[in-house]
Amino acid sequence: MQAMPGAFSSARLFASSDCGTLAQAVPAAVASGTTLLAGIWTEDSGHYEAEKAALLQAVKQYGTSWLIAVSVGSEDLYRGDTNATILSHQINEVRSLLGGIGAGHIEVGHVDTWSAWIKPENADVIRACDFVGHDGYPYWEQAPIDQGVDAYHKNLAKTRDAVKAAKPGTPVWIAETGWPVSGDTIGPAVPSIENAQAYWKNVACLAFSEEDHTFWYALQDYGDKPSFGVVGPDFKPLYDLSCWFPVDVPEPRYDGNAMLSAFTARPIVELKQRDKSKIECILAYGSDYQPAYAQPNSHDCSLGDRLLVGLNVGSLRIYRVNEPIDEAQAQNGSTTTDERPSSAKSNAVDLMREEEKFSKYKIEQLAIVKEANLLVSLSNAVVSIHDLQTYELHETLVKTKGATTFAITSNIVKDPSTSVPSIVSRLAVAVKRRLILWSWHDSELNPDTSEITLVTGVKTLTWATGTKLVAGLTSTYVLVDVETNNVRDIVGPGSIGGAPGQDGGRFGGVGVSTISYMGLGGAAPKPLATQLGEGELLLAKDINTLFIDTEGQSLGRRQIPWAIAPEAVGYSYPYLLALQATKGTLEVRNPQTLALLQTISLPHASQLYISQPNISLAHAGKGFLVISERCIWRMGALDYDSQIDALVERGRLDEAISLLGMLEDALLKDQEGRMREIKMLKAQWLFDLRRYRESLDLFTEVSAPPERVIRLFPPLIAGNASSSAIVEESAEHQEQPSEEDTSHGDRKPGSADLEKKQNAEETASKDAQSSHHTSTNDGGSINYPKLKSSDEGPVLEGKDLKAATAELRPFLVSARTRLQRYLNPDGSLKDTQASVDASASRVQQAQELLLAHAPQTSEERRQQMLETAKLVDTTLFRAYMFASPSLAGPLFRLDNFCDPEVIKEKLIETERYNDLVDFFYGKKLHRQALELLERFGKEGQGDEKVSQLAGPRRTVAYLQNLPPDLIDLIFRFVEWPLDEDSDCGMEVFLADSENAESLPRQRVLDFLQKKDKTLAVKYLKHVILELNDMTPSFHQNLVEIYIQGLKDGRFDDESARTRWEKDTLDFLKSSRAYQPYKAIKLLPAEDPKFYEARAIVLSKMGQHRQALDIYVFKLKDADKAEDYCNQVQLSEGSSLSPNLTKGSYRSLTSDLQDKTTSIYHTLLSLYLSPPSPHKPQWGPALALLAKHGARMPASSTLDLIPEVLPVKELESYFRGRIRGANSIVNETRVVASLRNSLAFNEEAKLRLGHGVPGANRGRGRSVLITEERVCGVCYKRFGGSAVKVLPK
């Protein structure tokens, strides 16, 4: 699974006891770093009890590092196998059992379909669950693939709604989903690889990035129908499985210091003491404000930048904004009105003009419609339109009389019919309970207006999108769609609106300001709202807050911990702002963590002004102003790199990580490298706090260099790589200085690493740029806090060491997997050019992430990666031996880079000799392994510690796995197994394996012949009969061994001799590869034991008469002689030309045989005309004539019959001859008749047509054409046209 794209790390099991599921799966999961979602079947009581027992046994034996959760049942409610009461009890029972063995932290839940979860009667099951597992299969719901994705998300939403209603806050896991690659089509749902690919890209990839847990069905089930597997029989993906997997990390706190210098306040406009007017509102437009990410002295400030200030006396002052002073010289924190820019520096703003008669009343609000060149103002509860250049009044919107506020938005909209983009601006004005809307398309005002009436008076307006508006009413908030006029209530905590429910207000629904309003006559809290990031808004009323999306749905985030209600809220990328007017301070918070990062003192400040993106894209929430009645402050932002450094130096690592995650790549120097280094610092801090799981998870997430993690452990686990070992080695080095040390000659690795660490800590306070490579070093070049060195941190021992080691193992397994992507088993680097998804440079960067120090050359990189792999594997071995020795064995069965000396020493020390043999095999140290096996194989009987190695069986199994090029080693160590148990030892050469079959056979034969001829015979029979080896020398050797065995006659009993003789004769008959002329020389001519063997060999040589002579006169066995003739006749008949027909063969057996001599004729001649001194044998001769007379030439046969023999004795012979001739004649007649019938049928088909007899469809077919007859295709009359008759 780890080799697949995406790097899957978890698997779901549906049972615990069936077929020993957990007993087999958990050791493999622990060894490979895989986590499991365990399942328990609940169908019947006996099965349920066995499942619980298997789960508890696995937890007791292996702990819980492999277990992410337990699912009690799967789709039981959907199938109707149980009810909610019983299932709820079972869930609680399993949770209680786990708690009783110290595993109470493991989540327990149930997996079922959405159709089961939404039923009200199943709500008790939801309440009993720590998590709810969702099964979703649009395929089974007969949804086509183009609707399947939507169906999946809709059904998942239904499950979530049901969970939220029954038990809010319970997580929903995707426990099972997928699309089949093959199988039956169900309605419009078609299984195919293309559809499975589409479903993966649209469901899986999104789920992997957004869901905490997603399990895909299935890894491999190619034999099922339908098949949902993502890999085939060869475990190669059936389609592209690539996706990006973000990882969420816990957000712990570290210290209470919440100060950060993100912004500096500088007054740019201050009213003089003699000026009795007050600032009511402001408007800034142009490109006068730098983005927050711009560096000092890089401002884009043209002379056209404008700042409009509306006063309480109705005057409008127009300022030109000049280039501001260097932000680095401004003080952070408090800035009072008494502070003035130095006269040596240019003024921040210049007053250009003042429109004293702009309005008769105070100017409450200003905004612009830039594309229409219009200025919009609110004064005396009426909205007016002015020219943006001359500030002259164009129009007073009479409909807006009684207005309290307005809001403007401008957006680029494409025309749906022409796709031509245009700028659409909308003006929304709140008049008591009414919303009145105007719009401009480009610069043209739409004459039509629309009105929407709400339930209560409108206090504030905030655009959520180009068409949706959040209206803060007296008692609640609503979301208004200005296109459809749809109004939707927003339900939130406390004073936000609606019933508090689960999300009640922080003080029971009544805030501080609310108490003042109800009991002390204070003012009602103002409903505040502001846009945040993409698609998010913040609502704030009193001290209650609610984060929503653009649809008005709650995002489920906790409330901001404000002590008092803010006067104004805003968002300046990437920070959340809150103005506390009563305290005269501006709070800067992280919108994700809600942590207070900075508090700026701004006396009497009452308003925030953040330029809208539609006014100036340079603003876009990245620069802002703060306003009091007498002063306007400009908030200058510190560069982000410095902000990150400040957070890290103060130990605010979570805030630094959060800020890095919110910022765009272009705004930072090496964002990826800085993020990685800070997360590694956080992980080290967590390790010092003994939060080992969180620490190692974070190290794994950032692919930390293994050396950096390993050195946190003592020498018992890390060996010489341990920081404590380095310190001790360095101390010894300093206590006993040598000339080499003084001259900086050869230096020990430990002291070198310590010196690098000390140098890094000395330079940690210096600001420097961090590159991708240097960020992987321990010291880094960013201004990070000085963490405790490992020797100053907690001493790892006892339970702490066991807990830390248990968490280290998955990290090492992950590092090992990553190293194997770039290293071959022989230590060479894999070819990076073979990578399809990444260039060679990115592969090189990925390799260097695993290294503690950036290499300079390719060979140095290879050497460092090899050393890192050696360190990882050796440390993993030590971790296994320390915590779970039984898991060390599987490590040796894989390709590894473990240090042989360390492994050998440790395994011998713990007397784990079987594991030592496995390790020797993996390292190809075969002689050492075989010597160990020979020692314990001979001497280990009765010793329980080496019982697995006792006897020859383990040695034989080892030898069977050795390649053919180690044949000498095999011969050396197979001797004692052959001596002790020849059958077991011969398995080395006779096993049905590729290694055994590829051994050099001639050398094996020579070795076995010297050892024991019986073993050689067994091997030759295996090679010839089972492996079908036709090598002549092997066949000849076996013949010679068989013959020599008969000659020696050394058999235990007569039955053994009989078996040997039978094997000899069978092989002489069946084999065609030995040399008969050599074999005949080995067979004594006058020894009765070899008569039949000589006959067989003579037959192989074609000497049939000599062979028959042996059967007739020496063996005197007429039956064997006849069988011999039958075999020869069959073999000669099979060699006839395949072109001869059966009739021609009959002719051949009659006519041609009169001119040739058959084998039967030879046998007959021996019977009737035997050589001297033998006498004729009339009985066998007459029997032969009766059976096979027709196969012998008539003339020569009759010549052999003596005249004295009565004709009556030859009756059976003549009958056979006559019957054979008649059969040939009759067969010829039958064949001729069949051919005539076939010819007649074919002629009838040709003339009359094929089909029913009499059908007119052949050559004689006639068609009548009349004047009314038309063509069946074009419907034209035939007339005198040429006619072609079609089949139909």
Side-chain angles (χ1 to χ4, degrees), residues 843-863:
V843 172
Q844 179 178 329
Q845 292 175 359
Q847 293 174 358
E848 292 175 1
L849 290 177
L850 293 164
L851 307 178
H853 312 290
Q856 302 299 321
T857 64
S858 177
E859 177 58 26
E860 185 178 347
R861 180 182 301 106
R862 186 197 69 81
Q863 188 63 32

Side-chain angles (χ1 to χ4, degrees), residues 42-80:
T42 62
E43 293 175 346
D44 58 79
S45 58
H47 196 181
Y48 175 55
E49 293 299 326
E51 292 283 272
K52 291 189 295 182
L55 175 64
L56 296 180
Q57 176 61 30
V59 173
K60 291 177 182 178
Q61 184 173 356
Y62 298 101
T64 59
S65 61
W66 57 273
L67 184 60
I68 53 176
V70 178
S71 171
V72 180
S74 179
E75 298 186 355
D76 302 72
L77 300 174
Y78 166 74
R79 296 191 303 268

Side-chain angles (χ1 to χ4, degrees), residues 936-1075:
F936 290 113
K938 294 178 178 180
E939 305 172 359
Q941 297 293 343
D943 190 346
E944 295 182 359
K945 296 180 180 178
V946 293
S947 59
Q948 293 180 322
L949 307 182
R953 180 63 60 184
R954 187 70 171 84
T955 300
V956 169
Y958 192 99
L959 292 172
Q960 286 177 330
N961 291 313
L962 294 183
D965 56 339
L966 297 178
I967 186 65
D968 292 327
L969 192 66
I970 294 174
F971 290 158
R972 159 66 180 82
F973 289 97
V974 79
E975 289 196 11
W976 78 268
L978 289 173
D979 294 338
E980 191 159 321
D981 186 347
S982 61
D983 291 337
C984 178
M986 282 299 293
E987 288 298 315
V988 175
F989 309 112
L990 306 183
D992 186 13
S993 65
E994 184 178 354
N995 279 357
E997 294 178 9
S998 59
L999 292 174
R1001 295 173 183 175
Q1002 187 59 52
R1003 294 196 60 188
V1004 173
L1005 179 60
D1006 295 341
F1007 169 77
L1008 293 175
Q1009 282 183 314
K1010 295 177 183 179
K1011 186 73 178 173
D1012 188 341
K1013 291 196 179 295
T1014 305
L1015 301 179
V1017 171
K1018 186 181 291 187
Y1019 180 71
L1020 282 172
K1021 290 174 67 175
H1022 171 75
V1023 169
I1024 294 171
L1025 301 179
E1026 296 186 23
L1027 302 184
N1028 198 26
D1029 192 325
M1030 301 303 293
T1031 305
S1033 61
F1034 291 160
H1035 290 251
Q1036 189 64 35
N1037 281 337
L1038 185 54
V1039 169
E1040 293 174 359
I1041 292 174
Y1042 273 138
I1043 295 174
Q1044 189 61 42
L1046 287 174
K1047 287 181 178 180
D1048 295 340
R1050 298 173 184 174
F1051 301 104
D1052 296 336
D1053 50 33
E1054 184 62 24
S1055 62
R1057 190 200 67 78
T1058 303
R1059 286 194 302 271
W1060 186 276
E1061 183 178 1
K1062 182 179 183 302
D1063 292 343
T1064 304
L1065 296 178
D1066 290 343
F1067 184 72
L1068 289 173
K1069 289 179 183 178
S1070 62
S1071 174
R1072 296 177 179 273
Y1074 67 90
Q1075 298 171 323

Side-chain angles (χ1 to χ4, degrees), residues 1061 1065 1087-1096 1107-1121:
E1061 183 178 1
L1065 296 178
D1087 190 340
K1089 294 184 296 184
F1090 296 99
Y1091 283 162
E1092 188 171 0
R1094 285 183 61 84
I1096 295 171
L1108 288 172
D1109 185 272
I1110 293 174
Y1111 285 117
V1112 173
F1113 300 114
K1114 292 185 178 181
L1115 293 176
K1116 298 179 181 181
D1117 192 333
D1119 292 335
K1120 287 188 177 181

